[in-house]
Amino acid sequence: MVLCAFATTLTAQKEDMKDFDPAFAHTVYFWFKEPENQKDKTFFEASLKKFLNTSQFAKTNFIGTPPKATRDVVDGSFTYSLIVTFESAEAQQKYQEEAPHLLFIEECKHLWERVMVYDSNGI
C-alpha cells in the first residue's frame, strides 16, 4: 500500500513539472549588500517564488545558491542565481515587462548591490 501511494505521489509530481525549454535561457546572478542577512534572504526567496509562480512567460526556473567551490574556475561570490527558460527571445522580452517581474524588482532591488545577466539562445 505504501509503495502504491509513493508511485502515485511521483506521478503527480511529474505531471506538475514543466519541461525545460532549450530555446532561450535567462541566467541571473545576484550579489546582496548583506549576503549573510537571513531576513533579507527569506524576503527575497518569497518575492522571487511569488513572481515566478505568476509569470505568464517563464517556462521553467531554477533558484540556486553557490556551493563551496572546489576549483579555481568556479565563481562562488554571488548570493543567488536564477535560471529561467523561455520558448523564445520574444517571450523573454515580454517577461521583462510583465507586472509580476516589475513588482519583484521593486520589492527586492534594495537588497542587491550587483546583478549580472547572461542570456543564451539554444543551439
Side-chain angles (χ1 to χ4, degrees), residues 21-98:
D21 195 319
F24 193 94
H26 177 67
T27 306
V28 186
Y29 292 91
F30 300 90
W31 285 263
F32 276 25
K33 293 175 184 173
E34 297 181 41
E36 301 304 320
N37 185 318
Q38 192 56 51
K39 183 180 171 188
D40 288 353
K41 288 180 172 186
T42 300
F43 181 82
F44 176 83
E45 290 175 21
S47 181
L48 182 58
K49 289 175 183 177
K50 176 181 68 174
F51 149 51
L52 292 170
N53 288 334
T54 58
S55 174
Q56 281 183 252
F57 304 101
K59 300 232 15 206
T60 59
N61 66 74
F62 170 84
I63 302 167
T65 57
K68 294 207 183 301
T70 57
R71 298 174 295 145
D72 290 342
V73 297
V74 177
D75 177 2
S77 66
F78 60 94
T79 311
Y80 284 95
S81 65
L82 170 66
I83 303 170
V84 184
T85 65
F86 300 92
E87 64 186 29
S88 66
E90 293 77 20
Q92 190 272 345
Q93 184 56 46
K94 290 177 183 175
Y95 152 98
Q96 291 297 326
E97 300 163 357
E98 72 178 330

